[in-house]
Amino acid sequence: MKKVIFFIYFIPLFGLAQNMTILKGTVKNINEQPIEGVSISYGNSGTTTDKKGKYQIRVPYKKEITITFNHISHKTFIKKYTAKNRNGGRLSIILSTKTEELKEIIIRENKQSVSGLKKIDVAIVKNVIGANAGVENVLMTLPGVNNNNELSTQYNVRGGNFDENLVYVNGIEVYRPFLIRSGQQEGLSFINPNMVQNINFSAGGFQAKYGDKLSSVLDITYRKPTELSTTLDISLLGASATFEAPIIKEKLTSISSFRYRDNSLFVNSKQIETNFNPKFLDFQTYVSYEASKYLKVNFLGNFSINNYNYTPISRRTRFGTIAAPLELNVFYNGQEQDNYLTLFGALSSEYKATDFLTLTATASRYNTQEEEHYDIAAAYRLGEVDTNIGSENFGNVDFSEGIGSQLNHARNDLDALITNIQIKGNYKIDKSQLDFGIKLQKEDIRDRIREWEVIDSLGFSIRPPNHIANNQPYEPFEGPIIPFKNIRVENEVQIDRISGYLQFNKRLFWNENKIWYNIGVRAHTWKVTGNGIRSKKQTIISPRAQFSIKPNSEKDLLYRASFGWYSQPPSYRELRDASGNINLALKAQNSIHFVTGLEYSFNLWRRPFKLTTEFYYKNLTNVNSYTLDNVRIRYRADNNATAYAHGLDVRLNGEFVPGSDSWVSLGYLKTEENIDNKGAIARPSDQRIKFGILFQDYVPSLPNLKVYLNLVYNTGVPGGSPSYADVYQFQERLRDYKRADLGVSYVFTDANKQFKTGWLSKFKELSTGLELFNMFDIQNSITNTWVRDVYSKNQFGIPNFMTGRVLNFKLAMKL
């Protein structure tokens, strides 16, 4: 710990003092199969490749060396190499047998960096713990990425909301559910970390080849198996099984995974006593067939079902101050039964027309069938807690300030079918590349809403806002009893879209400085038909550009800048307002991005580190403002607002502990909106400060005992108001979000430690561990329950606390 603190404060003194860096790579044969046991050496230093053909060796910075690759069954390969990047380099080769021609492949390390993408190590995703472990869990440790709900995989990026993020798996866009209201309903993310090979993420200013959203891009690539294996993961939160195999001489490969998730361990740690029986299941498969060296065919399929059965029993929450504590007691009757069924299939073919031109055609279909059914009655009592130490009633409620009840009912059903066909291509020549694509998409949504709420306070029904007030018991009232909220709507909406892009990429040298740039433009045309009424066709044009320069200097620096006009044509969720009505004339939201960044790579303690800083500014017009209740977004479905967001993201990552990548993140954000020219107010995603630490360590005397720490601190966001409240009259902030998760695991065997005899010889990988979630048992809240007192006319906001401290056991193995 002292070393970490010493490093943070004195980093400028050491940045130029190191002269070693890391060289990594993979050695394969001509069939692209990894070769184990290849000896890699230079001078007196050396290493060997593991079962996956991977190696890692320390080499001098900016000093020419001669590296030798030697294997008993293959030709020896010798290469002169000079490390020009303090953050490491990559050198991957293909070794030939005695009668085969020798080949060499050099992989460029900075391909993602120059395009503004952050490359995330898959091993970190598998190891780092979190209530929803996976790719999104790691993203939330990055600066500019926020979420105050550990049970949700949704995230905000630089002032945006959940609907403003693009997610691709193998180049195919995937979608989030429509009716999900809370994180504990979500279940499993679409992205299966056991199938992932590459992870790239951009927090803004991304390229034209990506889609039409306002905030971010998450680009996932599933892997093609190189060996026959079975991976099993078991814990108190669920289980998963992944099967992968090369089937027909490396031409046909398949990887499939089954997952089961049970959130009851977390939900039972809350202050609400429940009978909770969730079943979150999914199955994914990715099949790839190489018909020839010119043609490849891939299939990606997904089936998931979430059955959410929730029966609340009682709740007891204390809040307020030490001098004036209050207690809320609630007794429930009824239950909630939600069902979410998702089917997804995508077939793609990649054709290499020439040495320069590659074309990819993809057809996909996504179907979600969602049911949200509940009848829950709640009777509450709000009272003052006796704080007199000498009292016989000390610690108990001695005076009730409010007594009442409410009944919530819903029979909401949604069926959405999204079908698309797209063709993409790239044309490469020398150091230039032209990317292009076109996509046709049809969305068919059928939505039925039957939702109402009746609120009673001391026997008197509370009337909805903007109605004649009920002043009982002081004045008699003879009007009809009207539910506080009542929505009865049926929508049938079809959206037809056509979009395309054209992007030019170039790499060149200018006075020995390396330069990369790309210029592109997107176009998107759409038309909405709602309940038999057609809207006018709308079109948006989205130009974008990126520029990067790597100076030829002693310091390893990379400067980046990006600019673009980003537009987001409305989805069905954005077309629907809080009352369920559809605005067919809704326009696309627009955002102009300015992003500048700097990457500084250096060595410290003879280990690689990188300091990344980015400043961004976004100017938004035609904004569709919204309120956020847990994870449900309720739009106004108009374009009556403007907004802005600006901030600074800083991230320091490297080997704080030898061989293990960790990082520290710090982000500052300010975002405000102006609705109907009433003045600037904070947006629901205005999270001013974000601090995160992802740390990996091991015990020096017992290196197989590993420790993982995931720590996040987010300042409070505006929210917690009643759903009907005017945001200009209610600008309270929720409490700061603080959470620390700790994991300890012991690795019995892995790729670097194999056994040829004994019971461990049956395993390729085997580890077990304990996970302590919310280790300090901090009470975080994301929403409030509002209790009304008919006599005093006061409303009390009682925080709905998130999960408490939870201990989990896990076991992972690979056969």
Side-chain angles (χ1 to χ4, degrees), residues 472-523:
Q472 288 181 304
Y474 305 105
E475 297 178 8
F477 182 80
E478 298 180 355
I481 297 177
I482 301 176
F484 187 79
K485 179 179 69 174
N486 188 13
I487 303 175
R488 298 179 66 85
V489 176
E490 291 187 13
N491 294 320
E492 292 188 10
V493 176
Q494 294 81 39
I495 307 176
D496 297 299
R497 306 180 189 271
I498 179 171
S499 61
Y501 67 90
L502 183 65
Q503 177 177 307
F504 176 74
N505 310 271
K506 181 72 173 178
R507 178 168 59 92
L508 52 88
F509 283 87
W510 175 62
N511 291 338
E512 297 186 350
N513 301 309
K514 295 181 181 179
I515 292 178
W516 300 262
Y517 70 86
N518 66 75
I519 301 173
V521 63
R522 291 189 63 85

Side-chain angles (χ1 to χ4, degrees), residues 48-61:
T48 57
T49 58
D50 60 19
K51 283 193 172 183
K52 296 182 179 179
K54 295 182 178 181
Y55 74 91
Q56 176 176 312
I57 189 171
R58 297 186 185 278
V59 298
Y61 174 60

Side-chain angles (χ1 to χ4, degrees), residues 143-146 158-159 614-616 644-650 665-671 686-691 715:
V145 184
N146 301 303
R158 293 179 176 175
E614 281 191 340
F615 171 79
Y616 57 90
Y644 73 88
H646 64 76
L648 177 69
D649 290 344
V650 181
S665 300
L666 178 64
Y668 167 78
L669 162 71
K670 183 177 181 180
T671 179
D686 183 37
Q687 196 145 49
R688 294 296 172 89
I689 301 295
K690 158 70 180 287
F691 178 72
T715 54

Side-chain angles (χ1 to χ4, degrees), residues 527-585:
K527 180 177 62 178
V528 182
T529 302
N531 300 323
I533 302 174
R534 287 190 174 184
S535 69
K536 294 182 179 179
K537 185 180 296 184
Q538 299 188 58
T539 301
I540 56 100
I541 304 295
S542 174
R544 307 172 190 180
Q546 292 183 330
F547 177 83
S548 300
I549 181 170
K550 188 176 182 62
N552 181 25
S553 65
E554 289 295 325
K555 296 182 180 180
D556 191 349
L557 300 171
L558 176 67
Y559 297 92
R560 289 195 309 265
S562 60
F563 165 83
W565 178 291
Y566 295 80
S567 296
Q568 180 168 317
S571 64
Y572 172 72
R573 189 164 25 234
E574 296 166 76
L575 293 170
R576 194 182 81 175
D577 66 14
S579 299
N581 300 314
I582 302 299
N583 180 4
L584 299 180

Side-chain angles (χ1 to χ4, degrees), residues 319-371:
F319 63 103
T321 64
I322 297 176
L326 298 173
E327 180 176 292
L328 174 71
N329 289 280
V330 185
F331 298 94
Y332 298 95
N333 188 20
Q335 64 178 341
E336 177 174 358
Q337 292 184 339
D338 301 333
N339 296 290
Y340 306 92
L341 174 65
T342 300
L343 301 168
F344 175 82
L347 181 65
S348 67
S349 62
E350 180 180 316
Y351 177 64
K352 188 174 182 180
T354 68
D355 291 338
F356 309 107
L357 177 63
T358 302
L359 299 173
T360 302
T362 304
S364 68
R365 173 166 284 191
Y366 170 86
N367 177 231
T368 179
Q369 302 169 33
E370 305 178 15
E371 297 177 352

